[in-house]
């Protein structure tokens, strides 16, 4: 974990691959955790239509969201959490 004001090197947390198309996504982060979103709640309704007009259904998308741990504020090692007023969170 990085201390406040220190910069931590990126590390590889995973690779997503699609054999048929040859697409590959390597995910690098300096965050200690990752959340996997699997689109369980998409059902192809109008609210789930993409900008290209494709209706996405259940499990037709995923996302790896790098972040701190959900209970990080409760852990003893919270130096990497900085919730300063006016700080921009990306």
């Amino acid at each position: 974990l990085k201390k406040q004001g220190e910069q931590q090197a990126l590390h590889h947390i995973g690779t997503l691959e699609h054999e048929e198309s040859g697409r590959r996504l390597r995910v690098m982060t300096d965050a200690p955790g990752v959340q996997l979103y699997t689109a369980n709640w998409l059902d192809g309704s109008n609210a789930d239509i993409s900008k290209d007009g494709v209706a996405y259904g259940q499990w037709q998308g995923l996302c790896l969201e790098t972040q701190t741990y959900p209970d990080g504020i409760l852990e003893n090692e919270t130096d990497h959490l900085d919730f300063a007023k006016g700080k921009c969170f990306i």
Side-chain angles (χ1 to χ4, degrees):
L1 298 175
K2 66 181 176 181
K3 302 289 183 193
Q4 189 172 9
E6 290 181 358
Q7 188 171 5
Q8 185 171 332
L10 296 177
H11 59 277
H12 177 245
I13 57 107
T15 301
L16 303 175
E17 296 185 40
H18 185 255
E19 286 186 22
E20 290 178 27
S21 68
R23 290 178 291 182
R24 181 181 306 160
L25 172 69
R26 280 180 50 98
V27 180
M28 309 286 288
T29 185
D30 66 348
V34 62
Q35 178 78 24
L36 170 65
Y37 173 73
T38 59
N40 290 347
W41 301 105
L42 297 182
D43 63 5
S45 69
N46 288 338
D48 302 326
I49 293 179
S50 77
K51 65 180 181 179
D52 297 325
V54 176
Y56 292 110
Q58 195 172 37
W59 306 304
Q60 289 186 315
L62 61 88
C63 180
L64 293 173
E65 300 174 359
T66 60
Q67 58 191 15
T68 60
Y69 296 115
D71 64 346
I73 196 101
L74 303 175
E75 297 296 322
N76 291 332
E77 298 181 22
T78 59
D79 292 337
H80 65 284
L81 300 174
D82 183 4
F83 298 107
K85 182 179 179 179
K87 179 173 174 159
C88 178
F89 295 95
I90 299 173

